[in-house]
Amino acid sequence: MALHASASCAGGPASISRLRSRNSFSFPMSFRGRRCIRHGICPSIVSSCFPLPAGRSRDCIKALSADNDLPLDNSSLVVCFGEMLIDFVPTTSGLSLSEASAFKKAPGGAPANVAVGIARLGGQSAFIGKVGEDEFGYMLADILKKNNVNSEGLRFDPGARTALAFVTLRSDGEREFMFYRNPSADMLLEEGEIDFDIIRKAKIFHYGSISLITEPCKSAHVAAAKTAKDAGVLLSYDPNLRLPLWPSAESAREGILSIWDTADIIKVSEEEISFLTRGENPYDDGVVRKLFHPNLKLMLVTEGPNGCRYYSKDFNGRVHGLKVETIDTTGAGDAFVAGLLSQLANDVSLLKYFNASRMKIDSEKL
């Protein structure tokens, strides 16, 4: 989940003072009877106010473009939609959250991880989501900029905080999460705040399921995906199951599957296969095939150090994992997705290798 977890993901401190001091400005203005704050980053900031539902009194939301208005080349652009947050990880590995005596902050959020990973691999990526108008939100925006991720679609909410997550890999190999989002800014992204032009320029639109948990973000997610589909953009879906965030296991299963049949590419773990099939064997090809819908071009099932399995309409196979020294697996799945999508965005015809009957895959192309 954390951007710091793999070579293809971001890390390092962000310079908040530098981000906020360049030609900064801040002034109140009147907008349709409610107070709107423009807190500038630099003169190229794009500030916008959108109508709020009845009863909502939050200030307007701003769009950060700053000096990160990177040119968008729709020939290979991957747009990632969803959450971006701060992970707090123990300074000592192998401890449970209750055992840890100290934590260090790191940027996180699966869709943001993927966007940064793609950019670090030399690809073009953009991020759409919302953070709080707070120091953590500025830090995350700065990290996107430093990693050459287009952030025209990033919004700041002055009425909600940037999401926080405490995450650790215990000595028994189990990951442990604790989230603070009641609600956090990412949950409050609204359809009217989305820059749909960025989505229409994309080659691939990538997302997870966390943005489906609550409104208004759920409706924003559905609208964004529909726009991408209507524009002929490939849809990439990594459910990234986080049960503690859902009201119940059943609501998580229903929510994840509610948009399943619209995706062109799906990446899941063996644990998620078992969850979605209510405990069936995730290593049984027949079980995996139950989740393969008619319009799906490629399904990938990751198995940690053992590599992954791939499934197309006509056949399936396996790519074995590489032997490495394991330090921390947090974010490994996002790094996997970043590598895959960076290649597909440059050459979508690679999907033909997965969709020709009995054709062998040249795994080196992936």
Side-chain angles (χ1 to χ4, degrees), residues 24 33 37 42 44 48 50 57 88 103 116 128 145 158-160 197 207-208 211 247 265 274 287 299 308-309 333 362:
S24 64
I37 300 298
C42 73
S44 60
S48 54
F50 301 92
S57 60
F88 284 93
F103 296 83
V116 170
I128 294 177
K145 180 188 66 176
D197 287 338
Y207 50 86
S211 48
I265 302 163
S274 182
V287 171
M299 177 183 287
C308 75
R309 285 172 283 153
D362 179 2

Side-chain angles (χ1 to χ4, degrees), residues 3-4 9-15 105-107 120 139 143 146:
L3 286 162
H4 67 288
C9 296
S15 175
K105 69 178 185 296
R120 284 196 162 194
M139 168 189 161
I143 287 173
K146 285 181 176 180

Side-chain angles (χ1 to χ4, degrees), residues 4 51 60 66 70 73 106 116 130 163 202 205 223 234 272 276 294 303 332:
H4 67 288
C60 78
L70 300 173
D73 177 5
V116 170
K130 185 186 282 190
F205 181 67
L234 285 172
E272 288 165 340
L276 294 173
E303 299 180 356

Side-chain angles (χ1 to χ4, degrees), residues 175-231:
R175 284 193 296 175
E176 185 179 2
F177 293 94
M178 184 183 297
F179 297 93
Y180 288 84
R181 39 193 323 263
N182 292 310
S184 54
D186 61 291
M187 301 166 67
L188 300 176
L189 181 67
E190 299 177 11
E191 180 178 346
E193 297 163 4
I194 297 174
D195 187 339
F196 290 100
D197 287 338
I198 296 176
I199 296 173
R200 296 186 185 100
K201 293 175 182 178
K203 180 72 69 175
I204 300 173
F205 181 67
H206 176 72
Y207 50 86
S209 69
I210 290 175
S211 48
L212 295 170
I213 297 175
T214 59
E215 294 288 0
C217 191
K218 178 179 178 179
S219 293
H221 178 135
V222 172
K226 183 179 186 303
T227 296
K229 197 73 171 179
D230 292 346

Side-chain angles (χ1 to χ4, degrees), residues 1 89 143 178-179 194 240 250 261 287 302 319-320 327:
M1 184 171 183
V89 296
I143 287 173
M178 184 183 297
F179 297 93
I194 297 174
N240 194 36
E250 189 57 35
D261 291 350
V287 171
T302 55
V319 176
H320 294 286
I327 298 174

Side-chain angles (χ1 to χ4, degrees), residues 43-313:
S44 60
I45 190 81
V46 178
S47 297
S48 54
C49 297
F50 301 92
L52 296 175
R56 295 285 290 279
S57 60
R58 293 184 296 107
D59 293 331
C60 78
I61 311 305
K62 65 185 179 182
L64 171 66
S65 59
D67 53 0
N68 194 25
D69 293 334
L70 300 173
L72 295 176
D73 177 5
N74 58 1
S75 65
S76 62
L77 176 65
V78 180
V79 174
C80 299
F81 177 98
E83 70 279 2
M84 182 164 59
L85 47 85
I86 298 294
D87 281 340
F88 284 93
V89 296
T91 54
T92 302
S93 61
L95 300 178
S96 68
L97 292 178
S98 62
E99 293 170 335
S101 59
F103 296 83
K104 60 182 178 181
K105 69 178 185 296
N113 290 352
V114 173
V116 170
I118 290 169
R120 284 196 162 194
L121 290 170
Q124 275 217 341
S125 65
F127 177 78
I128 294 177
K130 185 186 282 190
V131 294
E133 189 176 17
D134 52 38
E135 295 303 309
F136 285 147
Y138 289 121
M139 168 189 161
L140 293 171
D142 197 23
I143 287 173
L144 291 182
K145 180 188 66 176
K146 285 181 176 180
N147 285 275
N148 297 317
V149 176
N150 184 288
S151 59
E152 291 179 52
L154 181 64
R155 302 290 182 261
F156 289 73
D157 193 326
R161 296 298 189 186
T162 301
L164 307 178
F166 288 79
V167 57
T168 187
L169 184 68
R170 301 189 317 222
S171 58
D172 60 5
E174 291 297 319
R175 284 193 296 175
E176 185 179 2
F177 293 94
M178 184 183 297
F179 297 93
Y180 288 84
R181 39 193 323 263
N182 292 310
S184 54
D186 61 291
M187 301 166 67
L188 300 176
L189 181 67
E190 299 177 11
E191 180 178 346
E193 297 163 4
I194 297 174
D195 187 339
F196 290 100
D197 287 338
I198 296 176
I199 296 173
R200 296 186 185 100
K201 293 175 182 178
K203 180 72 69 175
I204 300 173
F205 181 67
H206 176 72
Y207 50 86
S209 69
I210 290 175
S211 48
L212 295 170
I213 297 175
T214 59
E215 294 288 0
C217 191
K218 178 179 178 179
S219 293
H221 178 135
V222 172
K226 183 179 186 303
T227 296
K229 197 73 171 179
D230 292 346
V233 178
L234 285 172
L235 301 189
S236 167
Y237 185 22
D238 177 2
N240 194 36
L241 176 64
R242 294 290 179 267
L243 272 179
L245 296 179
W246 292 85
S248 66
E250 189 57 35
S251 66
R253 190 177 293 108
E254 291 178 1
I256 289 170
L257 293 176
S258 68
I259 60 169
W260 194 265
D261 291 350
T262 63
D264 298 294
I265 302 163
I266 295 176
K267 174 264 174 189
V268 289
S269 67
E270 67 265 49
E271 293 93 346
E272 288 165 340
I273 290 286
S274 182
F275 174 77
L276 294 173
T277 59
R278 300 178 183 274
E280 294 192 52
N281 182 5
Y283 302 101
D284 185 332
D285 291 338
V287 171
V288 177
R289 284 289 178 187
K290 292 180 181 180
L291 294 172
F292 199 98
H293 65 78
N295 297 318
L296 189 60
K297 295 177 174 61
L298 176 64
M299 177 183 287
L300 296 146
V301 181
T302 55
E303 299 180 356
N306 297 322
C308 75
R309 285 172 283 153
Y310 53 83
Y311 297 82
S312 73
K313 184 181 300 183

